[in-house]
Structures are given as structure tokens and as C-alpha cells.
Amino acid sequence: GFPLNLQSEELRNLSLSGHVGFDSLPDQLVNKSTSQGFCFNILCVGETGIGKSTLMDTLFNTKFESDPATHNEPGVRLKARSYELQESNVRLKLTIVDTVGFGDQINKDDSYKPIVEYIDAQFEAYLQEELKIKRSLFNYHDTRVHACLYFIAPTGHSLKSLDLVTMKKLDSKVNIIPIIAKADTIAKNELHKFKSKIMSELVSNGVQIYQFPTDEETVAEINATMSVHLPFAVVGSTEEVKIGNKMAKARQYPWGVVQVENENHCDFVKLREMLIRVNMEDLREQTHTRHYELYRRCKLEEMGFKDTDPDSKPFSLQETYEAKRNEFLGELQKKEEEMRQMFVMRVKEKEAELKEAEKELHEKFDLLKRTHQEEKKKVEDKKKELEEEVNNFQKKKAAAQLLQSQAQQSGAQQTKKDKDKKNSPWLCTE
Amino acid sequence: MDPMRRSPSPCPSSRPSSPRTPPCEMFGQVGIEAVLDQLKIKAMKMGFEFNIMVVGQSGLGKSTMVNTLFRSKVWKTSLPSLGTPIPQTLQLHSLTHIIEEKGVKLKLTVTDTPGFGDQINNDKCWDPILAYINEQYEQYLQEEILITRQRHIPDTRVHCCVYFVPPTGHCLRPLDIEFLQRLCRTVNVVPVIARADSLTIEEREAFRHRIQQNMRAHCIDVYPQKCFDEDVNDKILNSKIRDRIPFAVVGADREHLVNGRCVLGRKTKWGIIEVENMAHCEFPLLRDLLIRSHLQDLKDITHNVHYENYRVMRLNESHVLPRGPGWVNLAPASPGQLTTPGSMKTCRQAQDDSDDEF
């Protein structure tokens, strides 16, 4: 072993006799962060038209480009957009993820699935990077969802079953902050009841929403006070209306003006405080240390890893992950090869078949040709025969005619001779 | 949770690699900058860790220097009595303290190396030191790859190794060069000229100059390494520091009265050497570098570069081992593997050689 002698039981508090200077450490840390910038990713879950885009615009005092979605989406899809914001020396890379088409389908059974898949995919990407041999987690553009704003429709009654199901599926994967959208459509007295109903439904269904941290004395008080107002009833607006002698973000109705930043009118300011000004870093930390760790643990256990294996050291994790991945890739390749071979074989078979058929055809053709030729020959022979016969016949005919004519002639001559002979004295007729 | 830091490759580009996203103009205060305070609060609640190692021969004032740096009796130093023997082999002593200043809590671990360079044959005296450093990386790695891992992995990795060069006034000795070469590849090394009060200002400058030449000649890359300068400001600041390295330092933990002021210093017959007086020695530069300005940077480089390099080496090693059924066992790192930086090749050779014998 090494000649090592650790005396760490003397973990005592030393008193300092002068200024050392490490009180600058928090500043050193912060300076580093500002040069790299921060990532913050918000997922907005809510029905089409509930005001997600407007609320984002209002929260960040800007106009993010987006076209309003239609209600005709066949399914839920997630659309992520990244923006760079800067305030004094803080650079923020903000990603807003929208659930397009949420709540529009007739059958909403699977609505939560694309959302869960998206969240998991971001964890998976980070895990992949973390498990690489040569990795750069420091340059990594963190896309993991830090906060999920769940937009509850302002019905005034209770949560929809879609809301409960979706939130239940998401609560172990992301920090959920429920908000009541378009809160200016609910009367004040109804709002209180609505909020209570929602919170009790969440509790009775075991939905774990994000808890604003109260362990830190500097933020404990404000977080505790704000928590009471959950879910935040918000109104979003980028339009400005003149209130008194100032311009303020508001919604103008014939019966009055709803001021977004007026805490008597809605909880927008509370949401902004909680989400950005007080707990942004905690949201990021919880995502990394709790939700991501849970995902990582489950994923690795799923793949068959254990921390305490009697035979192997826990280090085989990385190894085996790569091994399993290579195995999987190997299998894929094998399958691909098999398929290719089968294809080649099939092609060969077909080719052989076709060749066979071709051969048959050729043979048939040859046979036919031969038969045709034979027949032709036969016909020709017969023709020849016939011709010969005809010739013969003609010859015979000609000969016969000649004979006949000769016979006639000679007969005539004979008759004349006979006559002559008769008439001649000479003829003896003894 | 650590916010994003630099890339682990030796010479990273200064731009983060994420794709360009459109900048958005905000009309009015949103409150994003509050995240800085949030970060500070969390960091202060968590507390900070810092692990420093001091290496050098006995009598160079290492323990005193540590006490001076941290203004406390980190080590119970006493004048070396005739009774205390110089250790026969290199030992490593670690002490951990919690110190607090203006609400900032720091868990400080100091590792001393008595016996370094004191033997007649000092060959491979750096091995136990390298082994210790790599052992800390190994521990961290083991924690990091657990399935159920701690929220905050305790960091015992050596963030900075202060190397005490004896004030010979000439140049670096072979031992110094060997040690610096090896260690610079594994850990942040800050060399200092120890007991600089035995050199005049001119002698110091000449000595420093020669040491810098030596380091360049042997490709010794001490902290702050040039290739990790992130931007122009870093370059300017760090270049100034690099010009003065190694700092000529004097340590003292006694206070004396000088011109009505109480100062930390060494009293000699010919005067009092004030530790915090830049005209006398460069201790303030060392303290500022290690504590006041670059402490976080030392930790970052350790985490993002040295630790990552170690991790890459270990993970690559595991692919070399023969595969077993199902899981592959990674053999525990043997002492041989831990002592030499980038040791895979040399290790394998050593093993092959031993095989040949049979």
C-alpha cells in the first residue's frame, strides 16, 4: 500500500488570525457562471388557445415568434424553441417547449405520451453524454426540462381527468407548477373555491407538484407566503394600456381593465417571482439532482446494472453499457446481414425460376419449330407427290390423247386402206 | 450543482459549442439576473472544499507557509528539535479543517509530504505522491459511476500542488525537473522559491529567470496553463502571473511590531522580513493566486481537465481486459497503474516483461 497517513478526524474549526480572503469564493464562482451563461428550459402544457405563448411573452417581456396553432392536430407534438436573452451581465439560453395539439383530440388517452417521451429524451441525451469516454459536460447545451407550467382551464369547477392523468405521469419527471390560465374569466369569489378544489384534488390523487424550497432562510419566507396562492391564477398580455399616467400590460374590456402586474387582479407577479427571480436556480438543481438522478438510476437498473455485485466492481457500469450497446448494434447488424442474404437468395431463386421458364419456352419454341418444319416438309412432299401425279396424269393424258388422235388417224387411214383394199382386186378373201 | 464549466480538452475553443440561437430583446426588467444571487446563496449554504498539497524537502518552510496562507495553526509547527528524525520514506499527511470567513465556509484539506527528496536515493520519490493524487481521482470516479449516487460527491481531489524549490540560486535540479514534469500532467502545480529571504532581489530575479528557462526547455506546464485561458481578460491577467512564477516566498506565523504596526514576519538580527510586504517577498502574490482570485479556477481545471483525463484513461483501460460472460470485471487499479500519469503503455510493458521471464 501507499505510505498514506490520513488524520482527518481532526475536522475541527480553525480560528483565523487575519483576513485570508476566501470570502471571495462565491464571487469567483458566480463570475465563472456569467461567462458561460445559463440554460433554462420551460415546458408549457395546456390546451390549444389557453394562452401559453402569450404568457411566455409576458413573462419575458418580449415577443417570441410563433404562429398560433390550429385545433386540427392529429396528435400531441412538442415544439421546442431556443432564445438567447441577456440582462445586465447574465446571458440566458431559454428554451420554451410547447405542447401543440394538447386537448384537441377526441381520444386523449395517449396525450401524455409525447410529453413524457420528450422529457425522457432530454434526460437520455444528457445520460449519453455523461457516459461517454471523452465527454464535454461543460459545453453541453442542457435541454432538460427545468419547469413544467401546467395550464389549467378556467372552468371554475375542478380539474379535468386529462389534467390529473397527465400531471400524475409527469410529477416524477419534472418540476410541475400548476397555473390557472385566463384567470380574468373567473370571478374572485369563485377563484378561491376553484384553487382549493384543485389543490385538494392534487393531494388526494397523490400528484407531487414542485415545492418552493423553505430550507434556505433567505428565501424561506417568501416561498412559504407564495405557496399559499397555488395554483397561480394568471393573465397574460403584451398589449399596453394607459393606467393613470403610466403604460401597463393589461387586457381592456368594456367593463374594466385587467392589469397583469396588479397583484389584486391576478397572480402573474407571483408566478414571475417564483419562477424566475427566486427559484430559477433551485428548479435547475432539482431537475439535475432529483429528476435526472431518478431517470438515470431507473435506466441503468433497467439495463441490468447493480451497485453491489459480489463478483464485479461497480465500475463495469460504463463498460457494460458500452458492451450492451455494441451487442445491440451487433445484433442489428446481424439481422441486417441476414435480411440481405435472404434477399440475395430470393433473388437468385427467382432468377433460377425465370431461367427455367425461359429454357422451357425455348424448348417449346424449338419443338414447335421442328414440328412446323416437319409438317411443312410433309406438305411439300405431298405436294411433290401430287404434282408428280398430276404430271403423270397429264403425261398419261397427253399420251392417251396422242394415242387417241393417232389411233383416229390411223383408223381413218386404215379405213381408207380397207376401203382401198376392198376395192382392190387383189384382196383375197379366202 | 456545478454550473457549466470549460471543456476538458487541453486546448478548448473559447466559444461554447451549442448552436446559435436567436437573441431576443426584452423590454423591461424580467429579473433573470437574480439567478446570480440564487447561485451565491446556494453555494454558501453548501460550503466550499479546497484541497492543497505541499511538496518539498524538509526545512523549506512548507508547514509555516500553509499556516501563513490560512492565518491559522493548520499544522502544529514547532521548531525542529534534534529528536525528531527525518522520515526514512516518503509519507503523506493529510489534515482537514473547516474555516469560515464572512459567512463563507471552507473545508480545507492540506496534504504534506515529509521525506520528499530527503533520502540519498530519491529515485521515484514522486510515485507515492502521484499514487495519492490518482487515488483521489479514483475515489471520485467510483462515486460518480454508482447507480444510486450521492447528491454531492465529496471532493478529495488535489486542486493544487505547491512545489517548494530550494533557494540554491542556480537553476532547477534534476529532482525538481523530474517531479515537475510528471506532476504537471496530473495536477495543477504552482512552484515557489522557498525561503526566498536567503536571496537578494537580484539573485531572485536571475534564479526565477533561469527556472522559467528550465521549465520551457523541459515542457513543464505549470498553473496557470496557457491553453486554458478563456478570453482576452484571462490571458492578460494570467500572463502577468506567468511572468512572475515561481514566486519568491517567505512564510511566517509570528507577528512583530514594525513602525507601530503589527505585521506577520520573520525576525532576524539584520531586520524583520515582512511577509505581506511586496518589497520583501512575493507571498501576497501566492496568496492572491491560490485563494483570492484563482481558487475556483484551480478546482475547475482539476475537475474538467485532470479528472477527465484520468477518467478517460481508466475507461479506455477497461476495454483492454478480456471479456467475461455477461458483465466485464474491471480489475482494481493496481499501485503501478496509479503512479505514472498516462501510465497505460508503460504498465503494459512492465507486465509483458514480467511475463517474458516465465
Side-chain angles (χ1 to χ4, degrees):
Chain A
F2 326 126
L4 194 57
N5 189 353
L6 278 169
Q7 298 164 14
S8 52
E9 76 273 7
E10 300 188 38
L11 204 74
R12 59 186 205 262
N13 287 343
L14 272 184
S15 53
L16 306 174
S17 63
H19 180 62
V20 177
F22 59 86
D23 55 334
S24 65
L25 267 176
D27 288 319
Q28 290 184 38
L29 182 65
V30 160
N31 287 341
K32 290 264 170 186
S33 308
T34 45
S35 62
Q36 270 286 343
F38 293 85
C39 270
F40 195 54
N41 308 317
I42 304 178
L43 168 67
C44 293
V45 181
E47 303 169 353
T48 310
I50 206 169
K52 305 187 283 290
S53 309
T54 312
L55 185 67
M56 289 297 110
D57 287 348
T58 321
L59 262 175
F60 292 99
N61 268 340
T62 184
K63 189 85 183 74
F64 296 119
E65 301 150 25
S66 62
D67 308 310
T70 67
H71 288 272
N72 300 326
E73 298 281 338
V76 178
R77 62 184 172 87
L78 276 84
K79 193 169 71 171
R81 283 226 175 96
S82 294
Y83 308 93
E84 269 202 28
L85 306 171
Q86 178 145 2
E87 195 167 87
S88 65
N89 59 341
V90 179
R91 277 183 301 119
L92 184 73
K93 191 170 256 116
L94 175 73
T95 301
I96 298 177
V97 189
D98 199 1
T99 51
V100 181
F102 189 77
D104 279 330
Q105 295 76 38
I106 293 171
N107 181 359
K108 299 188 260 272
D109 279 342
D110 293 340
S111 291
Y112 70 87
K113 283 190 189 156
I115 306 175
V116 169
E117 277 167 15
Y118 177 85
I119 295 174
D120 279 348
Q122 310 319 306
F123 285 145
E124 183 63 31
Y126 190 91
L127 180 64
Q128 296 272 358
E129 185 64 33
E130 202 192 356
L131 287 180
K132 276 193 192 158
I133 293 183
K134 254 196 170 286
R135 59 190 188 178
S136 54
L137 285 171
F138 324 93
N139 275 349
Y140 185 76
H141 178 200
D142 190 2
T143 55
R144 297 172 297 180
V145 179
H146 301 123
C148 171
L149 291 180
Y150 196 93
F151 288 68
I152 298 167
T155 59
H157 303 309
S158 60
L159 285 171
K160 299 185 183 163
S161 45
L162 173 66
D163 294 335
L164 278 168
V165 165
T166 310
M167 278 199 267
K168 197 81 178 85
K169 292 280 181 194
L170 297 178
D171 69 356
S172 61
K173 293 188 176 288
V174 72
N175 301 315
I176 298 180
I177 301 176
I179 59 180
I180 300 171
K182 299 198 169 178
D184 53 344
T185 60
I186 310 180
K188 201 156 184 165
N189 54 339
E190 289 173 4
L191 186 62
H192 189 71
K193 263 197 290 186
F194 190 30
K195 283 190 182 184
S196 304
K197 189 77 170 55
I198 292 173
M199 291 311 278
S200 67
E201 280 193 325
L202 289 176
V203 166
S204 59
N205 281 280
V207 175
Q208 305 277 340
I209 60 170
Y210 174 69
Q211 301 296 316
F212 298 120
T214 47
D215 51 352
E216 197 58 55
E217 27 179 74
T218 36
V219 297
E221 199 187 313
I222 189 171
N223 277 338
T225 332
M226 294 291 185
S227 293
V228 166
H229 294 271
L230 279 170
F232 296 130
V234 294
V235 173
S237 175
T238 47
E239 305 286 315
E240 295 205 323
V241 173
K242 191 155 186 166
I243 315 278
N245 56 348
K246 278 197 294 180
M247 295 298 279
K249 289 195 279 265
R251 285 177 62 79
Q252 183 145 51
Y253 291 104
W255 48 88
V257 178
V258 179
Q259 295 161 40
V260 168
E261 285 173 296
N262 185 334
E263 293 201 60
N264 285 329
H265 289 196
C266 74
D267 298 329
F268 172 81
V269 171
K270 295 190 176 68
L271 174 67
R272 186 177 57 196
E273 280 295 303
M274 289 292 98
L275 184 66
I276 302 173
R277 295 183 182 178
V278 178
N279 298 307
M280 190 193 285
E281 184 56 29
D282 187 68
L283 285 161
R284 282 155 38 98
E285 190 184 301
Q286 293 293 325
T287 304
H288 180 67
T289 57
R290 201 148 59 87
H291 300 297
Y292 169 70
E293 285 296 311
L294 181 64
Y295 174 85
R296 177 180 175 274
R297 194 165 69 234
C298 291
K299 191 71 198 291
L300 295 174
E301 280 174 358
E302 206 181 288
M303 290 168 69
F305 294 104
K306 294 191 286 279
D307 269 340
T308 50
D309 189 295
D311 297 323
S312 75
K313 291 263 165 183
F315 197 84
S316 51
L317 168 70
Q318 162 66 25
E319 234 287 359
T320 323
Y321 182 85
E322 294 252 327
K324 288 223 167 175
R325 193 156 58 128
N326 288 339
E327 200 185 295
F328 174 70
L329 283 172
E331 279 213 30
L332 265 177
Q333 259 188 326
K334 210 169 65 168
K335 277 217 167 95
E336 202 182 306
E337 195 51 47
E338 266 177 46
M339 280 177 71
R340 194 181 311 135
Q341 284 192 355
M342 192 151 69
F343 177 74
V344 166
M345 202 172 69
R346 284 246 177 92
V347 164
K348 279 212 177 105
E349 275 178 28
K350 197 74 188 191
E351 209 179 358
E353 257 178 61
L354 284 171
K355 271 218 169 90
E356 199 49 57
E358 197 184 8
K359 195 163 134 207
E360 259 181 63
L361 269 173
H362 273 295
E363 279 180 10
K364 246 192 185 163
F365 179 71
D366 283 341
L367 186 66
L368 271 173
K369 202 165 159 191
R370 261 180 304 168
T371 319
H372 170 77
Q373 276 184 337
E374 273 175 31
E375 292 285 310
K376 192 170 171 192
K377 187 148 177 275
K378 272 193 196 161
V379 166
E380 297 239 326
D381 286 346
K382 269 227 164 105
K383 191 175 170 191
K384 265 203 188 123
E385 250 178 72
L386 195 62
E387 273 182 15
E388 257 192 53
E389 267 185 42
V390 167
N391 263 351
N392 286 346
F393 175 74
Q394 294 286 49
K395 277 192 189 151
K396 275 193 182 160
K397 186 176 175 191
Q401 273 182 335
L402 193 64
L403 268 174
Q404 199 174 33
S405 71
Q406 276 184 346
Q408 269 184 338
Q409 258 191 337
S410 65
Q413 277 182 347
Q414 193 66 24
T415 342
K416 198 176 168 221
K417 267 187 180 170
D418 281 346
K419 262 186 177 172
D420 286 349
K421 264 184 175 178
K422 262 178 168 179
N423 298 334
S424 101
W426 309 56
L427 268 175
C428 359
T429 48
E430 285 147 353
Chain B
M1 182 196 141
D2 283 325
M4 295 184 284
R5 299 268 184 265
R6 297 176 201 151
S7 87
S9 58
C11 291
S13 64
S14 54
R15 302 224 141 269
S17 61
S18 45
R20 270 306 277 158
T21 45
C24 269
E25 211 194 309
M26 294 184 299
F27 308 98
Q29 268 282 35
V30 173
I32 296 172
E33 58 176 358
V35 75
L36 296 179
D37 282 330
Q38 298 170 26
L39 194 57
K40 247 189 237 184
I41 291 169
K42 279 196 181 280
M44 285 182 60
K45 177 163 184 237
M46 174 82 86
F48 296 84
E49 289 162 311
F50 188 54
N51 309 318
I52 186 172
M53 180 189 267
V54 286
V55 182
Q57 287 166 267
S58 332
L60 286 180
K62 302 190 296 292
S63 312
T64 315
M65 180 54 65
V66 171
N67 288 351
T68 320
L69 272 172
F70 293 100
R71 294 300 216 114
S72 51
K73 292 263 183 288
V74 177
W75 299 96
K76 297 195 192 73
T77 56
S78 47
L79 293 166
S81 61
L82 293 165
T84 51
I86 290 175
Q88 289 302 306
T89 54
L90 176 57
Q91 309 262 311
L92 282 106
H93 287 292
S94 270
L95 268 186
T96 305
H97 299 288
I98 303 209
I99 46 181
E100 187 177 331
E101 201 169 57
K102 297 208 181 123
V104 178
K105 282 199 276 288
L106 179 67
K107 184 169 157 207
L108 174 72
T109 303
V110 183
T111 307
D112 196 0
T113 54
F116 176 83
D118 288 333
Q119 275 71 48
I120 293 171
N121 181 1
N122 289 305
D123 195 25
K124 300 226 191 303
C125 65
W126 45 82
D127 274 357
I129 295 174
L130 279 173
Y132 175 82
I133 292 172
N134 284 327
E135 173 64 31
Q136 309 317 305
Y137 291 146
E138 182 67 25
Q139 275 182 25
Y140 194 92
L141 182 60
Q142 295 288 348
E143 287 287 337
E144 204 197 1
I145 58 173
L146 285 177
I147 293 181
T148 311
R149 48 191 191 183
Q150 298 179 57
R151 201 177 175 106
H152 175 76
I153 299 174
D155 191 359
T156 55
R157 301 169 295 185
V158 177
H159 301 129
C160 179
C161 175
V162 183
Y163 186 72
F164 288 70
V165 177
T168 60
H170 301 151
C171 59
L172 288 178
R173 305 161 302 162
L175 172 63
D176 301 327
I177 292 174
E178 276 289 335
F179 183 86
L180 287 170
Q181 269 182 329
R182 283 158 197 282
L183 253 75
C184 281
R185 282 183 253 155
T186 322
V187 71
N188 296 321
V189 178
V190 176
V192 295
I193 299 173
R195 290 217 182 279
D197 50 332
S198 63
L199 297 170
T200 64
I201 303 289
E202 294 81 18
E203 284 168 348
R204 278 187 214 167
E205 289 302 320
F207 189 26
R208 186 198 334 268
H209 197 66
R210 271 190 290 270
I211 292 177
Q212 285 174 350
Q213 273 181 336
N214 285 157
M215 296 201 296
R216 268 196 297 272
H218 289 95
C219 300
I220 294 169
D221 197 13
V222 298
Y223 182 83
Q225 299 90 337
K226 212 177 232 178
C227 53
F228 302 138
D229 286 342
E230 274 193 340
D231 52 33
V232 175
N233 293 332
D234 270 1
K235 270 204 180 68
I236 296 173
L237 178 65
N238 289 345
S239 293
K240 287 205 186 100
I241 295 170
R242 282 189 281 266
D243 270 342
R244 309 289 282 159
I245 288 208
F247 302 133
V249 295
V250 173
D253 46 10
R254 288 242 182 94
E255 291 195 330
H256 306 273
L257 215 57
V258 172
N259 293 340
R261 291 175 299 125
C262 221
V263 291
L264 216 55
R266 274 171 65 76
K267 188 166 182 181
T268 65
K269 288 224 158 61
W270 43 92
I272 295 177
I273 305 150
E274 293 165 51
V275 159
E276 303 237 11
N277 190 338
M278 275 297 290
H280 291 194
C281 79
E282 290 167 341
F283 168 80
L285 290 179
L286 179 67
R287 181 205 46 213
D288 286 351
L289 180 73
L290 288 184
I291 301 173
R292 295 190 184 177
S293 59
H294 285 66
L295 202 158
Q296 187 60 45
D297 190 57
L298 283 162
K299 291 173 62 172
D300 285 346
I301 304 269
T302 306
H303 180 65
N304 297 347
V305 180
H306 297 301
Y307 169 69
E308 287 294 319
N309 286 341
Y310 178 81
R311 181 179 173 275
V312 168
M313 183 196 82
R314 284 290 275 151
L315 293 178
N316 278 332
E317 262 173 30
S318 68
H319 289 282
V320 168
L321 294 175
R323 292 181 173 268
W327 287 27
V328 179
N329 293 343
L330 179 73
S334 65
Q337 282 176 328
L338 290 181
T339 48
T340 351
S343 64
M344 194 173 87
K345 288 203 181 114
T346 38
C347 240
R348 292 258 302 284
Q349 266 178 0
Q351 284 172 2
D352 287 343
D353 289 342
S354 60
D355 282 342
D356 286 344
E357 285 176 26
F358 299 93

